Amino acid sequence: MIKTKYNAKISIDDKEFNVIVSEPSLAQRKELELRAEGQKAKLDELSAINLQREQISLEIANKEKILSINTELLSTLSAEQKAELLKENKSLCEQILELKKQASKLNSQLKSGDEINAEFEKLMEYKALMLVSGDDKDELFSLIKERGVAFSTLWSELNEAVLKDSQKK
């Protein structure tokens, strides 16, 4: 027998809630996928930004190491050689400063990761409103919001409860 609705028992602190979790219909699944696609694009963008930031950090570290070595070499060189090395050090300092500016811009873009988490939570809440039913649903959702429990955490628990219910014979 194929089941499309599962009984789930969720406990928050000492309070138990009995709800029904439905499998999404084809239309519901498509709607959830469409909502998730926007987040995936943002996540891909943030991953690319993070990779750029890491590469810049490595480049900064490399240039700072060269600068440090050059500084040590200054004490062993003639005046003519020192002038050339000081020019190189100046150039390295300017490059490091520019790279740090780029990294700072990227860091500010990465803060939008909080936006993605918030959007993901909205998606999980929307999914819960769509697929969870039963007499205890409203009280459960109210307590979740009151206690600040993430809907993604609720879904972890619901998935376990659904798995248990689906394995019953």
Side-chain angles (χ1 to χ4, degrees):
M1 175 168 119
I2 297 174
K3 291 175 87 175
T4 60
K5 294 185 181 203
Y6 304 92
N7 294 314
K9 188 180 288 187
I10 301 294
S11 297
I12 298 181
D13 297 330
D14 294 331
K15 183 114 173 91
E16 282 193 354
F17 300 91
N18 292 304
V19 292
I20 298 167
V21 180
S22 302
E23 288 283 337
S25 67
L26 185 59
Q28 289 171 325
R29 188 174 292 126
K30 285 186 186 258
E31 186 175 346
L32 288 169
E33 286 172 3
L34 281 174
R35 286 178 177 251
E37 276 182 30
Q39 289 181 333
K40 184 182 179 317
K42 271 189 174 179
L43 191 57
D44 290 344
E45 180 184 332
L46 288 177
S47 293
I49 289 170
N50 194 43
L51 180 62
Q52 276 182 298
R53 189 179 58 113
E54 288 173 4
Q55 289 172 337
I56 287 173
S57 293
L58 288 173
E59 198 172 337
I60 289 171
N62 185 43
K63 289 185 185 296
E64 286 176 340
K65 188 168 188 119
I66 293 169
L67 188 62
S68 174
I69 292 169
N70 285 355
T71 303
E72 288 180 30
L73 287 173
L74 281 173
S75 63
T76 64
L77 299 175
S78 68
E80 187 179 301
Q81 292 171 322
K82 282 183 182 181
E84 193 62 37
L85 202 53
L86 287 171
K87 285 181 188 176
E88 184 180 333
N89 281 358
K90 180 182 176 193
S91 174
L92 285 169
C93 288
E94 290 169 352
Q95 291 171 22
I96 289 169
L97 181 62
E98 186 57 38
L99 288 169
K100 285 183 177 182
K101 286 179 185 177
Q102 290 175 16
S104 178
K105 286 180 186 177
L106 293 174
N107 283 337
S108 67
Q109 289 176 319
L110 283 176
K111 289 180 183 170
S112 65
D114 293 339
E115 291 175 29
I116 289 180
N117 289 338
E119 287 296 317
F120 180 71
E121 277 305 307
K122 285 182 190 175
L123 180 65
M124 291 295 101
E125 181 178 5
Y126 183 79
K127 181 179 174 182
L129 289 169
M130 179 188 289
L131 301 178
V132 177
S133 61
D135 295 337
D136 294 343
K137 172 188 173 181
D138 293 333
E139 188 179 355
L140 171 64
F141 287 5
S142 176
L143 187 61
I144 283 174
K145 288 181 180 181
E146 178 185 310
R147 300 277 171 92
V149 175
F151 276 90
S152 54
T153 304
L154 171 66
W155 274 106
S156 294
E157 294 295 320
L158 286 172
N159 288 335
E160 285 182 35
V162 164
L163 184 61
K164 285 179 186 175
D165 190 46
S166 69
Q167 290 176 344
K168 288 181 183 175
K169 292 185 180 185

